[in-house]
Amino acid sequence: MNAMKKTKLLVGTVIGCMVTGQAMATILFSEDWESHSPGAAIQSANGWTAVTCCGEPTSEISVQQASGGSPAGMSGNYANGSAGGSNSTGGYINLNPAGIGSGLDPTKEYILSWTWYNSGDKAHGPEFGFAHSGHNNFGTRLTLEGGHNGNAGRSRLLSRNNGEDGAGWPGDGVSVEYEIRMTKDSVSGWRDGSQHAGAGMDEATFVGHDGIYWFADFSGSTGRNAGDIDNITLRVVPEPATLGLLAL
């Protein structure tokens, strides 16, 4: 085979891998809240359920309609994690199976993305990410930390089996594009297109993730909330090694 043919074959293979990767990406779940009625709880549509956690009996995650006074980055309808009441004893979890209720496939990569508004000091410890029913629904996720614990504007990646990693400071009062990318071997946190955290993952923990969740922590203080969230998407692609074999 001459050099020209080799070059063409190499280029063709690279393009094939790129096309295969794009074609194989599958959206498992999306939520922009447009199917919900403004003012209603998010459990009114699209598979969301509320789970009592830490003593808080009800969910107050509600749908809002964006207007001139809405947080930057929120358009159309969005979900608002309003405070759970004065000196609440805990918090609550909003769960959705999101197309992965039977667990994750270890041959694939899962990418969860969303827009999250950090309302500053009031956003105390809300979490969003993959649920794991084997661990009281607390799976691999990102958390925002407000001024109640001295970490205003901090975002961290909490890997289910490897602790926390990658403190970052997106700022208070801003909307940020987040992603969690996870395979059976690793997990990474992304903010506005750049990776800011990463950790290992083991296959047994990985396959046990079985949904997505949004947790609001209202323990021991007034005025806490979970910020605002919009444009949630969960998509899946074969792992890079699998893509390469498919392309070949």
Side-chain angles (χ1 to χ4, degrees):
M1 185 182 296
N2 61 35
M4 181 63 74
K5 288 183 177 179
K6 288 182 179 178
T7 300
K8 288 181 177 179
L9 179 59
L10 177 60
V11 171
T13 301
V14 171
I15 292 174
C17 287
M18 293 172 62
V19 171
T20 301
Q22 293 171 353
M24 295 295 290
T26 302
I27 294 177
L28 298 179
F29 176 81
S30 64
E31 178 68 274
D32 58 9
W33 315 106
E34 302 309 314
S35 62
H36 299 247
S37 300
I42 68 172
Q43 291 80 25
S44 61
N46 209 10
W48 293 95
T49 56
V51 179
T52 300
C53 172
C54 320
E56 182 66 23
T58 60
S59 170
E60 297 183 19
I61 302 297
S62 61
V63 176
Q64 307 294 317
Q65 192 162 43
S67 62
S70 299
M74 302 290 111
S75 60
N77 291 350
Y78 64 95
N80 168 248
S82 60
S86 176
N87 294 314
S88 164
T89 57
Y92 47 71
I93 291 174
N94 291 269
L95 285 170
N96 199 304
I100 55 172
S102 58
L104 303 187
D105 183 341
T107 68
K108 296 180 180 179
E109 178 183 26
Y110 292 80
I111 303 171
L112 178 62
S113 59
W114 69 97
T115 305
W116 206 355
Y117 176 74
N118 178 15
S119 51
D121 289 352
K122 292 182 179 180
H124 174 78
E127 300 175 356
F128 187 79
F130 291 91
H132 196 303
S133 58
H135 294 275
N136 296 319
N137 298 309
F138 290 98
T140 297
R141 70 275 194 197
L142 283 169
T143 180
L144 293 179
E145 306 236 348
H148 290 288
N149 57 7
N151 291 320
R154 183 177 183 178
S155 62
R156 298 178 298 161
L157 175 69
L158 303 179
S159 179
R160 175 61 260 165
N161 61 317
N162 282 288
E164 63 183 66
D165 185 48
W169 300 89
D172 295 341
V174 295
S175 291
V176 179
E177 302 296 324
Y178 284 105
E179 276 191 356
I180 296 175
R181 303 180 186 179
M182 189 163 62
T183 72
K184 64 180 177 61
D185 300 311
S186 65
V187 58
S188 57
W190 297 70
R191 188 173 62 240
D192 288 337
S194 297
Q195 183 177 345
H196 74 91
M201 175 62 61
D202 69 76
E203 185 170 337
T205 301
F206 174 82
V207 299
H209 290 89
D210 52 6
I212 63 175
Y213 83 108
W214 192 15
F215 166 72
D217 174 19
F218 300 133
S219 57
S221 181
T222 59
R224 294 183 180 180
N225 65 52
D228 300 288
I229 199 167
D230 201 2
N231 302 322
I232 301 166
T233 301
L234 176 61
R235 61 189 190 276
V236 61
V237 296
E239 284 196 276
T242 305
L243 280 176
L245 290 173
L246 287 171
L248 288 173

